[in-house]
Amino acid sequence: VYNAESFLVDCIDSVLSQTWLNVEVILVNDGSTDGSGQICTKYHDSNINVRYFNQNNGGVTSARRRGVSKAKGEWITFLDADDTLPSDSIEKMMVVSEGTDIVIGCVDEKSNKYDKWDIESCRHQIIRGGILPPAVWGKLYRKVLFDDEKVFDIPRKIVKGEDLLMNIRLLFTTEKNPAFVEGSTYNYRRNPISASHSFKHSVEYEAYFDTYRIKAIPTDELGKYMGDVISNRLNGLRGCAWSDPKGLNRENAYLAQLMEDIKKYNYHLSLSDRLLLNVKSAIVLSDR
């Protein structure tokens, strides 16, 4: 919870009205300066299954770490304070949770568009930035997966893509195939003042993020996923082409490493990839 007083009541009420009744609600107030703390206190005082923790502002990963550390349940699901859950969200996910460690639901959709991928396919998809949602919300995770150093070791400087990093790490902590849910498990509300919507792309940020993307993949398996890493690097640079086209300079160390890896791993460049890597202006075509 961070400065979410306009959305917070709807958010918490959507959890308390779940058809699955055995739910522990953990509210982590990450240094809000508005009335969010008072709202959290009210729910904590009036609901036996609501627990409230207040902390100095540390960012989303810090707040999630705090919440998971305090959780008593076997399963964890995340909810941002400006979003809500459909009333049967947790029940839908719990029903298919036997025999797996991760349940993947849908966001604002009536049916799941994803194939019933095995764990290996999910790893490829999440690293590549494919159609598997990179967000940690709308999913269910067995709590034993959350090793503090392996999952939450994400610096606060990572302000876009922290969910992707967390999912990469979590998908490598289990060998069990995920379960998939038919029907929506999350109501995402677009908040124009959130950090993700005010983010400005830059090659420097992409290079910094890439170091943690590489670290999230086990060293002995990295070669298997480098094609996916390269694809995601290229996708990140597309945003840079609009906001920071001068940064797409072949003399840049990050781009030089990218070109080297493209050759090393025999990555096939599409026409839009070739245009991107030779961009001279902020106009970039895309055939993806």
Side-chain angles (χ1 to χ4, degrees):
V1 180
Y2 179 71
N3 288 351
E5 62 179 354
S6 299
F7 310 101
L8 193 51
V9 170
D10 288 344
C11 173
I12 300 173
D13 283 348
S14 75
V15 184
L16 295 176
S17 62
Q18 288 293 299
T19 55
W20 186 273
L21 301 179
N22 189 18
V23 176
E24 175 191 40
V25 184
I26 297 180
L27 306 174
V28 181
N29 183 23
D30 190 40
S32 296
T33 57
D34 64 358
S36 296
Q38 292 91 322
I39 295 173
C40 291
T41 298
K42 177 182 176 182
Y43 277 94
H44 172 264
D45 291 345
S46 60
N47 294 271
I48 193 171
N49 59 334
V50 175
R51 301 169 65 203
Y52 170 45
F53 301 93
N54 190 54
Q55 65 179 35
N56 294 330
N57 183 258
V60 63
T61 298
S62 170
R64 287 170 176 166
R65 177 193 289 117
R66 182 81 179 276
V68 170
S69 71
K70 298 296 183 181
K72 299 177 181 178
E74 180 182 1
W75 291 92
I76 301 290
T77 191
F78 296 98
L79 176 59
D80 287 353
D82 47 1
D83 299 328
T84 63
L85 296 181
S87 62
D88 59 351
S89 172
I90 296 176
E91 181 174 11
K92 282 180 179 176
M93 292 190 286
M94 287 299 299
V95 164
V96 300
S97 64
E98 185 175 354
T100 189
D101 291 329
I102 300 176
V103 178
I104 298 173
C106 306
V107 178
D108 295 330
E109 297 176 6
K110 299 301 180 182
S111 61
N112 205 325
K113 292 182 178 179
Y114 327 120
D115 295 327
K116 302 293 189 291
W117 292 318
D118 59 16
I119 188 69
E120 181 73 10
S121 299
C122 287
R123 291 169 181 167
H124 282 288
Q125 280 289 327
I126 206 72
I127 296 169
R128 174 173 288 267
I131 63 174
L132 189 67
V136 296
W137 32 254
K139 299 178 177 69
L140 199 64
Y141 304 94
R142 203 177 291 274
K143 189 187 176 185
V144 294
L145 300 183
F146 289 90
D147 179 290
D148 192 69
E149 292 184 2
K150 292 181 179 179
V151 176
F152 290 116
D153 182 25
I154 301 172
R156 189 173 183 181
K157 188 177 177 181
I158 300 291
V159 295
K160 185 177 178 62
E162 65 269 27
D163 284 18
L164 177 67
L165 294 179
M166 189 178 294
N167 266 311
I168 293 174
R169 295 175 179 201
L170 288 167
L171 284 166
F172 279 103
T173 61
T174 180
E175 294 300 324
K176 296 180 181 178
N177 294 331
F180 291 82
V181 173
E182 296 292 337
S184 175
T185 58
Y186 198 88
N187 297 322
Y188 173 70
R189 179 157 39 187
R190 186 177 181 84
N191 183 354
I193 65 172
S194 67
S196 61
H197 290 119
S198 59
F199 175 80
K200 184 177 180 180
H201 293 270
S202 71
V203 176
E204 289 73 20
Y205 183 83
E206 291 299 320
Y208 182 74
F209 178 81
D210 186 61
T211 61
Y212 285 88
R213 176 170 47 212
I214 294 297
K215 286 173 61 177
I217 304 169
T219 303
D220 60 346
E221 297 193 61
L222 181 58
K224 186 193 307 184
Y225 299 98
M226 276 305 299
D228 305 306
V229 170
I230 293 169
S231 178
N232 208 324
R233 286 174 177 172
L234 290 166
N235 284 338
L237 291 178
R238 284 183 170 79
C240 299
W242 289 101
S243 61
D244 184 29
K246 293 182 180 179
L248 298 180
N249 187 320
R250 289 293 187 92
E251 296 179 0
N252 181 286
Y254 177 61
L255 267 72
Q257 182 64 56
L258 172 59
M259 297 303 297
E260 182 179 325
D261 287 339
I262 287 171
K263 293 179 181 179
K264 179 178 179 181
Y265 294 97
N266 297 314
Y267 185 86
H268 175 72
L269 293 171
S270 67
L271 173 60
S272 66
D273 294 332
R274 295 180 185 277
L275 289 169
L276 174 68
L277 294 173
N278 290 279
V279 66
K280 300 299 182 184
S281 71
I283 302 175
V284 180
L285 301 178
S286 175
D287 62 2
R288 289 179 182 264

